[in-house]
Each structure stands twice: as structure tokens, then as C-alpha cells.
């Protein structure tokens, strides 16, 4: 475990041949290998923007200068590079949720990389091995930084992707704003100890119920990412035939209707929607969970019908995830529970000041310089099965960094053998997640309800 310092950061930059420090001119950077791609510059910014009626919201955080964080487009198997430039007054990093990156690129402060302080930068470079829908966000002071806007969607394209007539990307998230459109406290302790604290304003692409035009009778690929810090959604599509073609960046073994599908923070869904034939017809994506169902976004049919058939969409290509060897797999028991122990000290990455949750009875907020011991030390290339049990009355979207797992079985429901990085475990459920430990390094495993993560429900596995 290395405790990175500012000096360490400079050294790292020098070794990598990246050159000077400070904010560089945007453009091609010296010292890169010839094959390295032009880096995308992601500069953090504090802006004012309209998120609700009643005025502009101050202190909204974003990347770039176009309002919402950009949708990043990458290509499967082709190098990608991004320079994070930190222009906000808080250290930050970027984690590439669901993308199997080398450990040093994973964005978890202390565990794998230094903080990126105000005025500094960090160069990320990796080759996404999988096609699908992913997302990016900080892994430092996450409740505050993500809560204020730093969540963006990633699309990894493949030349083998089936053809659609239109594609839309939805970034689903809430904001905790008061009647004056300004931020209110990001969490309430009594809620952090239960389901998490919900936002007050709900958006898709930072808009209330946006509407997009799509060709009548055409086939739409709708990529949906839940980047909220708290909310679990139950989806329904009204007005058109819709099928789930991918979840969490991987094709589903069997396509199914999205109606009543439950997905939690960090999860993604791709839908194939066959638009109605009549011009002007509306298709609605709804969240029907809880007491206040909500239309998230609408699609409006335009033009003469293309008369397409949803069955024409070829299967998505499987991603190159190694098959778990169940006969040889070693099992890792993992119990999610509540705790009353070990109130964390204040740390640079934003302690909530409470420990409510634990993994195998150890509470850890996930980004302190004195981490707990790893849950398990895994041998590179070996197969493992996580036997995860939820002893709490809440659901938890449990996210593993760096490696994809296969959902093998659940004690409470039939499951498809999905490949994923985030499993929404229900109360009293036991689930088996199998994977090959094929990516060396320290990999977080945590709840993606950020208040749960930051008040103890975080651990990590070490692959050596
Ligand atoms: Cu949780």
C-alpha cells in the first residue's frame, strides 16, 4: 500500500513521460507513444444551470463546458486516453464504472492512484475490452461530487453492433434541491441508515422528462444509465414494444420485457424499442417504483413508418469475459450487515461521520489511507465464487471493480446467467457470483448507494 502524496504524483507524471505539471494547453501532449490516441480533456467545472423551475442552481459540478458531462464514445479494443484536469476546489479522480481497466487506471484514491488536487491533472489511458454502456464518476468525496453533477455516460461501440435507426443515451439522476433551486444537505443520517436519502428533483440528461424524435416504425437503441447516488428504479415502457437487449454492459442471454425490471445505482440497461407507425405517437419510459411514479423520458414518432420488426435486430456480440470454472472455483463468503461500530474519522474524501454498514462485519468508507485488510487475496487466473448474503432489510447494488462476474444463482428468484459488474441484492437474498480473477491489483467491492458505501459498505479483493 503506497500513500500517494503530491510529490509522488509529480514523480508518477515524470516517469510516464507526460511532461510538465499544471494545466496544459488543450491539444496533443508530448511524450506519448506514436499509437496513443488524442486524449479527451475532462476538466472539472463549477457552473450555474437550470435544473428546475424557480431559478438557476449554483454550485453544479460538471466536466467540460457543455453543461452536462459529455457522453464519452470509445471503441472496443481500441486505445482510449483522457486527461482529467481538476479546476474545482476539491481533490477528485475518475472511475470508469464497469470497464475492465488496468488497476492503475481505476480511479480509487489511496488504493490505486493519488488524488488529483486543484490545478493538477491525471492522465488515464486504457483499451476497453468490452462493448456496451458504462459510466464515469469520481471516487473521492463521492456523495458531494456525484450529488452535485459529476456523473457521465460512456458508450463503447463495436463494429459488430447491430444497426438501429436511432440511438439515444439517458443519464438518469436526481438532485437534492430546495424550493429556491439551491442544493440542500446531501444526506440525512436516519436515511443513510436505511434506503439512502432521495433527491427532490428527478432528471434524465439533466432535464425534466425530455422528449426526443425517432423515426416512426423504426428501431431505437435506448441506452439507460442510473447514475443517481440513491434511487432504485422499476422500469416500464408504454406505447411501444420494448425488449431488454443488454444489462450492465453485456448482452442478456435471453431478451425480455423491461416491465417491472428493478435496477439500482450504477446499473445500465439497453432497450430495443420498435417505434409506433403513426407520426406523433409517444413512447414513454417510466419509473413505476414507489408512491410517485414518473415519466423519465418520451420518444415521439416522426415521418412515414419504416415498418421495421424488432426481431430483425441481430444478437449483440458477447464480450470476451473468461468462463468461470465452477468445479475448481474457490468460494468467498460475504455478508452484508448493519453495524454500530467504528465511527470513521474525517478524511479528505468526505467522511459522512457515521458507520452504519459493514461487509463481513468490517465497516470501511472505502477511500482512507489506512484501509482494512482485503476481503480475500485471489490468485491471478483462478476461478472464484462470491457467496453473498444480504442480512439487512434494504436492497444493495453491489459493484465489483476491474472484473466482470456471472450471476450463477439466487435463493429467492430465477436468474439469467448475466455477465455484470453490479448486482442488486434484495433483503434476505443469497446470491452466487462467479468470476475469473484475471486482472491483477486491488479492486473495490462496494454498495453503489453512496451513503451505504461511505458509511461502511465497502471492501476490496486483492488479485496477485
Ligand atoms: Cu447499500
Amino acid at each position: 500500500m503506497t500513500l500517494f502524496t503530491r510529490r509522488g504524483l509529480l514523480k508518477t507524471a515524470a516517469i510516464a513521460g507526460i511532461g510538465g505539471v499544471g494545466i496544459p494547453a488543450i491539444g496533443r501532449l508530448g511524450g506519448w507513444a506514436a499509437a496513443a490516441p488524442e486524449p479527451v480533456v475532462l476538466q472539472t467545472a463549477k457552473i450555474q444551470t437550470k435544473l428546475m423551475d424557480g431559478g438557476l442552481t449554483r454550485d453544479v459540478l460538471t466536466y467540460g463546458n457543455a453543461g452536462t458531462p459529455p457522453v464519452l464514445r470509445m471503441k472496443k479494443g481500441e486505445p482510449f486516453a483522457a486527461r482529467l484536469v481538476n479546476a474545482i476546489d476539491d481533490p477528485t479522480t475518475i472511475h470508469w464504472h464497469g470497464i475492465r481497466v488496468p488497476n492503475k487506471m481505476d480511479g480509487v484514491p489511496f488504493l490505486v492512484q493519488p488524488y488529483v488536487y486543484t490545478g493538477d491533472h491525471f492522465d488515464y489511458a486504457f483499451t476497453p475490452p468490452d462493448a456496451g454502456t458504462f459510466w464515469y464518476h469520481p471516487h473521492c468525496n463521492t456523495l458531494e461530487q456525484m450529488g452535485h453533477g459529476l456523473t457521465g455516460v460512456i458508450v463503447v461501440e463495436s463494429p459488430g453492433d447491430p444497426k438501429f435507426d436511432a440511438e439515444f443515451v439517458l443519464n438518469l439522476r436526481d438532485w437534492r434541491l430546495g424550493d429556491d433551486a439551491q442544493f440542500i444537505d446531501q444526506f440525512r443520517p436516519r436515511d443513510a441508515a436505511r434506503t439512502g436519502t432521495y433527491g427532490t428533483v428527478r432528471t434524465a440528461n439533466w432535464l425534466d422528462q425530455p422528449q426526443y424524435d425517432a423515426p416512426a416504425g423504426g428501431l431505437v437503441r435506448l441506452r439507460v444509465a442510473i447514475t443517481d447516488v440513491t434511487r432504485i428504479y422499476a422500469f416500464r415502457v408504454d406505447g411501444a414494444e420494448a425488449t431488454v437487449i443488454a444489462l450492465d454492459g453485456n448482452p442478456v442471454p435471453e431478451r425480455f420485457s423491461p416491465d417491472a425490471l428493478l435496477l439500482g445505482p450504477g446499473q445500465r440497461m439497453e432497450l430495443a424499442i420498435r417505434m409506433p407507425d403513426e407520426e406523433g405517437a409517444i413512447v414513454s419510459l417510466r419509473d413505476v417504483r414507489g408512491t410517485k411514479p414518473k415519466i423519465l423520458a418520451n420518444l415521439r414518432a416522426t415521418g412515414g413508418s419504416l415498418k421495421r420488426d424488432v426481431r430483425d435486430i441481430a444478437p449483440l456480440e458477447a464480450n470476451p469475459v473468461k468462463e468461470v470454472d465452477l468445479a475448481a472455483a474457490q468460494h468467498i463468503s460475504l455478508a452484508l450487515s448493519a453495524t454500530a461500530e467504528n465511527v470513521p474519522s474525517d478524511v479528505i474524501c468526505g467522511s459522512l461521520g457515521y458507520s452504519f454498514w459493514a461487509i463481513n462485519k468490517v465497516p470501511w468508507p472505502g477511500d482512507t489511507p489506512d484501509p482494512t485488510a482485503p476481503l480475500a487475496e485471489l490468485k491471478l487466473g483462478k476461478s472464484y465464487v462470491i457467496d453473498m448474503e444480504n442480512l439487512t432489510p434494504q436492497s444493495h447494488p453491489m459493484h465489483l471493480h476491474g472484473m466482470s462476474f456471472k450471476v450463477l444463482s439466487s435463493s429467492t428468484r430465477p436468474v439469467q446467467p448475466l455477465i455484470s459488474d453490479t448486482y442488486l441484492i434484495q433483503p434476505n437474498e443469497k446470491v452466487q457470483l462467479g468470476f475469473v480473477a484475471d486482472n491483477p491489483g486491488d479492486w473495490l467491492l462496494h454498495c453503489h448507494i453512496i451513503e451505504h458505501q461511505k458509511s461502511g459498505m465497502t471492501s476490496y479483493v486483492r488479485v496477485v
Side-chain angles (χ1 to χ4, degrees):
M1 188 60 44
T2 314
L3 202 165
F4 288 101
T5 59
R6 194 181 164 90
R7 179 180 294 271
L9 171 67
L10 301 187
K11 208 164 118 202
T12 309
I15 290 166
I18 288 161
V21 294
I23 298 180
I26 290 175
R28 191 149 185 94
L29 306 166
W32 288 77
E38 189 83 17
V40 173
V41 175
L42 293 170
Q43 179 162 327
T44 55
K46 188 181 274 191
I47 61 170
Q48 296 187 35
T49 195
K50 188 162 191 282
L51 294 168
M52 61 178 274
D53 291 337
L56 296 178
T57 301
R58 293 186 299 275
D59 300 333
V60 175
L61 300 180
T62 189
Y63 299 100
N65 53 15
T68 60
V71 173
L72 300 181
R73 295 225 166 227
M74 308 179 186
K75 289 192 163 53
K76 175 182 174 175
E78 292 188 20
F80 170 81
R83 169 166 284 193
L84 168 63
V85 178
N86 190 11
I88 58 170
D89 53 6
D90 198 20
T92 193
T93 61
I94 295 180
H95 170 61
W96 314 90
H97 184 121
I99 301 185
R100 298 185 291 144
V101 298
N103 199 233
K104 291 283 178 229
M105 297 289 118
D106 197 45
V108 181
F110 289 115
L111 210 59
V112 306
Q113 75 155 89
Y115 299 123
V116 183
Y117 288 93
T118 307
D120 277 346
H121 66 268
F122 188 87
D123 289 305
Y124 293 95
F126 54 85
T127 300
D130 306 317
T133 306
F134 305 90
W135 65 295
Y136 63 105
H137 62 81
H139 231 287
C140 181
N141 201 3
T142 37
L143 188 61
E144 205 65 21
Q145 292 188 13
M146 290 170 62
H148 280 236
L150 291 180
T151 66
V153 184
I154 297 170
V155 172
V156 182
E157 298 168 346
S158 162
D161 279 336
K163 294 279 177 286
F164 286 82
D165 302 306
E167 178 177 296
F168 300 98
V169 176
L170 292 182
N171 179 348
L172 298 184
R173 55 163 300 149
D174 299 355
W175 309 82
R176 274 186 61 73
L177 306 178
D179 292 340
D180 60 354
Q182 302 314 313
F183 282 101
I184 55 177
D185 282 351
Q186 199 62 51
F187 82 103
R188 292 180 295 217
R190 69 171 186 277
D191 288 337
R194 296 186 177 90
T195 57
T197 310
Y198 287 98
T200 58
V201 171
R202 306 186 56 183
T203 60
N205 297 342
W206 293 24
L207 300 166
D208 179 24
Q209 205 179 301
Q211 181 164 298
Y212 302 102
D213 286 348
L219 296 174
V220 171
R221 184 175 194 162
L222 186 63
R223 299 176 182 265
V224 179
I226 302 175
T227 76
D228 192 53
V229 294
T230 308
R231 187 177 298 277
I232 295 167
Y233 290 71
F235 291 104
R236 197 175 81 200
V237 173
D238 287 339
E241 188 185 347
T243 51
V244 178
I245 57 172
L247 281 178
D248 299 338
N250 288 277
V252 294
E254 277 177 57
R255 294 176 182 184
F256 58 95
S257 159
D259 289 359
L261 175 63
L262 279 180
L263 293 179
Q267 295 195 278
R268 293 87 64 205
M269 144 179 103
E270 290 184 33
L271 299 179
I273 295 176
R274 201 285 192 180
M275 292 298 291
D277 293 306
E278 323 82 66
E279 174 148 32
I282 300 288
V283 179
S284 298
L285 177 69
R286 294 170 186 269
D287 175 17
V288 294
R289 190 163 183 262
T291 52
K292 286 190 202 158
K294 162 101 183 129
I295 292 181
L296 302 165
N298 288 324
L299 299 177
R300 187 177 69 109
T302 57
S305 176
L306 299 180
K307 298 208 163 64
R308 299 259 275 157
D309 188 325
V310 77
R311 287 164 298 191
D312 293 344
I313 301 166
L316 301 182
E317 297 170 319
N319 285 319
V321 176
K322 289 203 185 91
E323 188 63 40
V324 54
D325 179 351
L326 289 176
Q330 203 176 310
H331 286 245
I332 303 164
S333 294
L334 203 148
L336 309 178
S337 66
T339 184
E341 300 165 42
N342 189 18
V343 172
S345 58
D346 224 25
V347 290
I348 196 162
C349 270
S351 165
L352 300 193
Y354 298 90
S355 288
F356 294 127
W357 307 97
I359 296 180
N360 288 356
K361 297 189 176 166
V362 178
W364 182 50
D367 39 23
T368 58
D370 53 343
T372 173
L375 267 177
E377 199 165 292
L378 313 182
K379 289 204 171 58
L380 188 63
K382 296 257 187 222
S383 287
Y384 292 88
V385 173
I386 293 177
D387 296 307
M388 183 158 65
E389 181 172 16
N390 182 3
L391 303 171
T392 80
Q394 278 78 29
S395 302
H396 303 282
M398 297 302 296
H399 172 46
L400 175 64
H401 287 212
M403 292 168 287
S404 299
F405 53 74
K406 184 194 244 180
V407 180
L408 301 172
S409 71
S410 159
S411 61
T412 58
R413 50 185 161 152
V415 287
Q416 283 202 41
L418 296 165
I419 308 291
S420 174
D421 48 72
T422 308
Y423 185 83
L424 182 62
I425 191 168
Q426 305 294 321
N428 304 311
E429 182 178 0
K430 288 182 202 167
V431 66
Q432 292 195 309
L433 309 173
F435 66 102
V436 178
D438 61 354
N439 202 354
D442 287 345
W443 300 108
L444 278 196
L445 196 167
H446 66 88
C447 181
H448 229 289
I449 292 174
I450 304 298
E451 286 153 87
H452 293 179
Q453 172 196 352
K454 295 289 291 180
S455 60
M457 201 173 275
T458 307
S459 192
Y460 64 105
V461 295
R462 175 167 290 162
V463 178
V464 286

mmCIF file of all heavy atoms in Angstrom, residues 192-216:
data_model
loop_
_atom_site.group_PDB
_atom_site.id
_atom_site.type_symbol
_atom_site.label_atom_id
_atom_site.label_comp_id
_atom_site.label_asym_id
_atom_site.label_seq_id
_atom_site.Cartn_x
_atom_site.Cartn_y
_atom_site.Cartn_z
ATOM 1 N N ALA A 192 -29.578 7.604 5.622
ATOM 2 C CA ALA A 192 -28.354 6.878 5.261
ATOM 3 C C ALA A 192 -28.346 5.501 5.923
ATOM 4 O O ALA A 192 -27.811 4.539 5.390
ATOM 5 C CB ALA A 192 -27.122 7.684 5.675
ATOM 6 N N ALA A 193 -28.958 5.401 7.092
ATOM 7 C CA ALA A 193 -29.018 4.125 7.811
ATOM 8 C C ALA A 193 -30.142 3.238 7.289
ATOM 9 O O ALA A 193 -30.324 2.114 7.761
ATOM 10 C CB ALA A 193 -29.206 4.380 9.306
ATOM 11 N N ARG A 194 -30.903 3.741 6.322
ATOM 12 C CA ARG A 194 -31.984 2.943 5.728
ATOM 13 C C ARG A 194 -31.761 2.860 4.212
ATOM 14 O O ARG A 194 -30.779 2.278 3.782
ATOM 15 C CB ARG A 194 -33.330 3.555 6.102
ATOM 16 C CG ARG A 194 -33.561 3.497 7.616
ATOM 17 C CD ARG A 194 -34.963 3.968 7.996
ATOM 18 N NE ARG A 194 -35.183 3.837 9.435
ATOM 19 C CZ ARG A 194 -34.903 4.798 10.332
ATOM 20 N NH1 ARG A 194 -34.432 5.962 9.929
ATOM 21 N NH2 ARG A 194 -35.109 4.601 11.627
ATOM 22 N N THR A 195 -32.656 3.446 3.414
ATOM 23 C CA THR A 195 -32.550 3.254 1.959
ATOM 24 C C THR A 195 -31.602 4.239 1.290
ATOM 25 O O THR A 195 -31.334 4.135 0.108
ATOM 26 C CB THR A 195 -33.931 3.466 1.292
ATOM 27 O OG1 THR A 195 -34.386 4.783 1.636
ATOM 28 C CG2 THR A 195 -34.924 2.435 1.753
ATOM 29 N N GLY A 196 -31.106 5.227 2.040
ATOM 30 C CA GLY A 196 -30.373 6.335 1.440
ATOM 31 C C GLY A 196 -31.309 7.518 1.285
ATOM 32 O O GLY A 196 -32.540 7.373 1.313
ATOM 33 N N THR A 197 -30.738 8.701 1.084
ATOM 34 C CA THR A 197 -31.519 9.932 1.026
ATOM 35 C C THR A 197 -31.842 10.264 -0.437
ATOM 36 O O THR A 197 -30.935 10.418 -1.252
ATOM 37 C CB THR A 197 -30.713 11.094 1.647
ATOM 38 O OG1 THR A 197 -30.233 10.675 2.931
ATOM 39 C CG2 THR A 197 -31.566 12.333 1.800
ATOM 40 N N TYR A 198 -33.128 10.358 -0.735
ATOM 41 C CA TYR A 198 -33.541 10.595 -2.125
ATOM 42 C C TYR A 198 -33.410 12.062 -2.520
ATOM 43 O O TYR A 198 -33.562 12.961 -1.697
ATOM 44 C CB TYR A 198 -34.998 10.159 -2.334
ATOM 45 C CG TYR A 198 -35.143 8.657 -2.341
ATOM 46 C CD1 TYR A 198 -35.539 7.963 -1.203
ATOM 47 C CD2 TYR A 198 -34.844 7.937 -3.493
ATOM 48 C CE1 TYR A 198 -35.646 6.577 -1.210
ATOM 49 C CE2 TYR A 198 -34.950 6.549 -3.505
ATOM 50 C CZ TYR A 198 -35.352 5.880 -2.366
ATOM 51 O OH TYR A 198 -35.447 4.522 -2.370
ATOM 52 N N GLY A 199 -33.185 12.278 -3.803
ATOM 53 C CA GLY A 199 -33.193 13.626 -4.355
ATOM 54 C C GLY A 199 -34.609 14.171 -4.400
ATOM 55 O O GLY A 199 -35.587 13.426 -4.246
ATOM 56 N N THR A 200 -34.696 15.471 -4.652
ATOM 57 C CA THR A 200 -36.003 16.126 -4.697
ATOM 58 C C THR A 200 -36.415 16.474 -6.128
ATOM 59 O O THR A 200 -37.572 16.739 -6.397
ATOM 60 C CB THR A 200 -35.966 17.434 -3.884
ATOM 61 O OG1 THR A 200 -34.934 18.268 -4.437
ATOM 62 C CG2 THR A 200 -35.655 17.162 -2.424
ATOM 63 N N VAL A 201 -35.441 16.487 -7.042
ATOM 64 C CA VAL A 201 -35.713 16.841 -8.442
ATOM 65 C C VAL A 201 -35.158 15.706 -9.291
ATOM 66 O O VAL A 201 -33.994 15.335 -9.154
ATOM 67 C CB VAL A 201 -35.036 18.174 -8.816
ATOM 68 C CG1 VAL A 201 -35.133 18.446 -10.308
ATOM 69 C CG2 VAL A 201 -35.644 19.314 -8.014
ATOM 70 N N ARG A 202 -36.002 15.160 -10.171
ATOM 71 C CA ARG A 202 -35.603 13.980 -10.937
ATOM 72 C C ARG A 202 -35.381 14.362 -12.394
ATOM 73 O O ARG A 202 -36.194 15.065 -12.984
ATOM 74 C CB ARG A 202 -36.694 12.907 -10.820
ATOM 75 C CG ARG A 202 -37.019 12.613 -9.358
ATOM 76 C CD ARG A 202 -37.979 11.458 -9.223
ATOM 77 N NE ARG A 202 -37.421 10.293 -9.887
ATOM 78 C CZ ARG A 202 -38.075 9.133 -9.990
ATOM 79 N NH1 ARG A 202 -39.279 9.000 -9.507
ATOM 80 N NH2 ARG A 202 -37.496 8.114 -10.613
ATOM 81 N N THR A 203 -34.278 13.876 -12.970
ATOM 82 C CA THR A 203 -33.971 14.274 -14.344
ATOM 83 C C THR A 203 -33.466 13.100 -15.191
ATOM 84 O O THR A 203 -32.990 12.085 -14.671
ATOM 85 C CB THR A 203 -32.877 15.368 -14.391
ATOM 86 O OG1 THR A 203 -31.680 14.872 -13.782
ATOM 87 C CG2 THR A 203 -33.321 16.642 -13.699
ATOM 88 N N ALA A 204 -33.579 13.300 -16.509
ATOM 89 C CA ALA A 204 -32.897 12.466 -17.499
ATOM 90 C C ALA A 204 -32.100 13.445 -18.352
ATOM 91 O O ALA A 204 -32.670 14.421 -18.870
ATOM 92 C CB ALA A 204 -33.904 11.714 -18.359
ATOM 93 N N ASN A 205 -30.811 13.234 -18.459
ATOM 94 C CA ASN A 205 -29.928 14.184 -19.164
ATOM 95 C C ASN A 205 -30.098 15.608 -18.614
ATOM 96 O O ASN A 205 -30.085 16.579 -19.376
ATOM 97 C CB ASN A 205 -30.164 14.136 -20.681
ATOM 98 C CG ASN A 205 -29.826 12.764 -21.246
ATOM 99 O OD1 ASN A 205 -29.129 11.969 -20.606
ATOM 100 N ND2 ASN A 205 -30.329 12.474 -22.434
ATOM 101 N N TRP A 206 -30.289 15.697 -17.302
ATOM 102 C CA TRP A 206 -30.426 16.961 -16.564
ATOM 103 C C TRP A 206 -31.699 17.714 -16.924
ATOM 104 O O TRP A 206 -31.830 18.909 -16.678
ATOM 105 C CB TRP A 206 -29.202 17.875 -16.763
ATOM 106 C CG TRP A 206 -27.923 17.378 -16.164
ATOM 107 C CD1 TRP A 206 -27.567 16.097 -15.864
ATOM 108 C CD2 TRP A 206 -26.794 18.187 -15.767
ATOM 109 N NE1 TRP A 206 -26.312 16.049 -15.312
ATOM 110 C CE2 TRP A 206 -25.805 17.313 -15.256
ATOM 111 C CE3 TRP A 206 -26.526 19.543 -15.813
ATOM 112 C CZ2 TRP A 206 -24.567 17.763 -14.785
ATOM 113 C CZ3 TRP A 206 -25.295 19.993 -15.346
ATOM 114 C CH2 TRP A 206 -24.324 19.108 -14.839
ATOM 115 N N LEU A 207 -32.656 17.020 -17.540
ATOM 116 C CA LEU A 207 -33.915 17.644 -17.946
ATOM 117 C C LEU A 207 -35.072 16.898 -17.305
ATOM 118 O O LEU A 207 -34.997 15.687 -17.058
ATOM 119 C CB LEU A 207 -34.076 17.593 -19.472
ATOM 120 C CG LEU A 207 -32.990 18.313 -20.286
ATOM 121 C CD1 LEU A 207 -33.074 17.908 -21.754
ATOM 122 C CD2 LEU A 207 -33.143 19.827 -20.124
ATOM 123 N N ASP A 208 -36.161 17.641 -17.059
ATOM 124 C CA ASP A 208 -37.370 17.004 -16.574
ATOM 125 C C ASP A 208 -38.115 16.447 -17.768
ATOM 126 O O ASP A 208 -38.590 17.204 -18.609
ATOM 127 C CB ASP A 208 -38.233 18.024 -15.814
ATOM 128 C CG ASP A 208 -39.528 17.402 -15.315
ATOM 129 O OD1 ASP A 208 -39.574 16.167 -15.146
ATOM 130 O OD2 ASP A 208 -40.490 18.153 -15.104
ATOM 131 N N GLN A 209 -38.175 15.131 -17.857
ATOM 132 C CA GLN A 209 -38.978 14.462 -18.877
ATOM 133 C C GLN A 209 -38.683 14.965 -20.290
ATOM 134 O O GLN A 209 -39.561 15.500 -20.976
ATOM 135 C CB GLN A 209 -40.456 14.698 -18.537
ATOM 136 C CG GLN A 209 -41.397 13.664 -19.071
ATOM 137 C CD GLN A 209 -42.828 13.996 -18.638
ATOM 138 O OE1 GLN A 209 -43.123 14.082 -17.460
ATOM 139 N NE2 GLN A 209 -43.717 14.154 -19.596
ATOM 140 N N PRO A 210 -37.446 14.826 -20.748
ATOM 141 C CA PRO A 210 -37.137 15.282 -22.110
ATOM 142 C C PRO A 210 -37.857 14.432 -23.155
ATOM 143 O O PRO A 210 -38.238 13.288 -22.881
ATOM 144 C CB PRO A 210 -35.620 15.081 -22.211
ATOM 145 C CG PRO A 210 -35.318 13.983 -21.243
ATOM 146 C CD PRO A 210 -36.297 14.151 -20.113
ATOM 147 N N GLN A 211 -38.023 15.017 -24.357
ATOM 148 C CA GLN A 211 -38.658 14.287 -25.459
ATOM 149 C C GLN A 211 -37.734 14.313 -26.669
ATOM 150 O O GLN A 211 -37.200 15.366 -27.017
ATOM 151 C CB GLN A 211 -39.994 14.942 -25.793
ATOM 152 C CG GLN A 211 -40.739 14.243 -26.919
ATOM 153 C CD GLN A 211 -42.199 14.667 -26.944
ATOM 154 O OE1 GLN A 211 -42.944 14.450 -25.993
ATOM 155 N NE2 GLN A 211 -42.606 15.288 -28.027
ATOM 156 N N TYR A 212 -37.566 13.161 -27.274
ATOM 157 C CA TYR A 212 -36.680 13.055 -28.437
ATOM 158 C C TYR A 212 -37.471 12.490 -29.614
ATOM 159 O O TYR A 212 -38.347 11.641 -29.434
ATOM 160 C CB TYR A 212 -35.484 12.142 -28.121
ATOM 161 C CG TYR A 212 -34.670 12.622 -26.938
ATOM 162 C CD1 TYR A 212 -34.818 12.015 -25.676
ATOM 163 C CD2 TYR A 212 -33.782 13.683 -27.048
ATOM 164 C CE1 TYR A 212 -34.085 12.463 -24.578
ATOM 165 C CE2 TYR A 212 -33.046 14.138 -25.958
ATOM 166 C CZ TYR A 212 -33.202 13.519 -24.727
ATOM 167 O OH TYR A 212 -32.481 13.974 -23.638
ATOM 168 N N ASP A 213 -37.134 12.934 -30.822
ATOM 169 C CA ASP A 213 -37.804 12.447 -32.033
ATOM 170 C C ASP A 213 -37.101 11.203 -32.560
ATOM 171 O O ASP A 213 -35.860 11.165 -32.605
ATOM 172 C CB ASP A 213 -37.783 13.526 -33.121
ATOM 173 C CG ASP A 213 -38.765 14.656 -32.815
ATOM 174 O OD1 ASP A 213 -39.601 14.479 -31.895
ATOM 175 O OD2 ASP A 213 -38.698 15.696 -33.500
ATOM 176 N N ALA A 214 -37.895 10.224 -32.985
ATOM 177 C CA ALA A 214 -37.341 8.999 -33.561
ATOM 178 C C ALA A 214 -38.215 8.581 -34.735
ATOM 179 O O ALA A 214 -39.421 8.855 -34.734
ATOM 180 C CB ALA A 214 -37.316 7.893 -32.497
ATOM 181 N N PRO A 215 -37.634 7.924 -35.742
ATOM 182 C CA PRO A 215 -38.419 7.593 -36.936
ATOM 183 C C PRO A 215 -39.593 6.646 -36.617
ATOM 184 O O PRO A 215 -39.399 5.627 -35.936
ATOM 185 C CB PRO A 215 -37.421 6.899 -37.866
ATOM 186 C CG PRO A 215 -36.084 7.060 -37.253
ATOM 187 C CD PRO A 215 -36.236 7.498 -35.848
ATOM 188 N N ALA A 216 -40.782 7.012 -37.113
ATOM 189 C CA ALA A 216 -41.955 6.140 -36.941
ATOM 190 C C ALA A 216 -41.653 4.762 -37.527
ATOM 191 O O ALA A 216 -41.016 4.656 -38.571
ATOM 192 C CB ALA A 216 -43.151 6.764 -37.642
#
